[in-house]
Amino acid sequence: MALRIILSFLLLVSAAGGAHADFTDGKLPDGTYRCEVYLLGLFLNLGDITIKGNLYNGPVTFGTAPQAYNYQMNPNGEISWLGPLGGYTSGGNSISMTQATLDDPSGPSFDIIMKQQDGAFTASTCTRR
């Protein structure tokens, strides 16, 4: 259990320290971002989040999300979701942190650190398709 917490913390620190791009406009580039988690040697698709301006919807695994919600991003690239975020915010789960990285303009992404109901942390990466 302690090893899991330490690894999660190291992942959180590396995600937060990797943002070097310019976030002054407070927005992610528009597009659909595929969210995946690496688990037991496999990448598992957690669904797609669509970003348009300062709105998002998803994550969606099949079909389309029924409603869009606002999000905010500070100059350090930390994102605050102002509405629900699928399984990330249901069933006792909550968002611990979301950090955007825009180092590669052709492939912007963000990392979501989720705190599970049991207190464990899980990290996933969402990359624009």
Side-chain angles (χ1 to χ4, degrees), residues 15-74:
H20 301 291
D22 184 8
F23 298 109
T24 55
D25 67 350
K27 295 182 200 170
L28 288 163
D30 288 354
T32 300
Y33 292 75
R34 163 129 326 141
C35 298
E36 297 178 321
V37 64
Y38 187 73
L39 184 65
L40 301 173
L42 299 170
F43 285 99
L44 301 175
N45 180 11
L46 300 177
D48 295 337
I49 296 175
T50 301
I51 301 289
K52 184 167 178 133
N54 63 344
L55 298 174
Y56 76 94
N57 65 27
V60 176
T61 306
F62 301 104
T64 59
Q67 183 173 349
Y69 299 94
N70 288 313
Y71 75 93
Q72 295 174 340
M73 185 166 59
N74 72 19

Side-chain angles (χ1 to χ4, degrees), residues 1 6 13-14 24 36-37 41 55-56 60 66 73-74 82 84-85 92 94 99 106 110-112 118 120 124 126:
M1 179 66 170
I6 291 169
V13 169
S14 68
T24 55
E36 297 178 321
V37 64
L55 298 174
Y56 76 94
V60 176
M73 185 166 59
N74 72 19
L82 304 179
L85 198 62
S94 62
Q99 177 66 53
S106 66
F110 52 91
D111 297 313
I112 299 173
D118 65 1
S124 63
C126 303

Side-chain angles (χ1 to χ4, degrees), residues 103-115:
D103 292 333
D104 181 3
S106 66
S109 65
F110 52 91
D111 297 313
I112 299 173
I113 310 296
M114 177 184 70
K115 183 176 181 183

Side-chain angles (χ1 to χ4, degrees), residues 71-93:
Y71 75 93
Q72 295 174 340
M73 185 166 59
N74 72 19
N76 295 321
E78 296 171 17
I79 299 171
S80 297
W81 307 102
L82 304 179
L85 198 62
Y88 290 106
T89 57
S90 65
N93 298 328

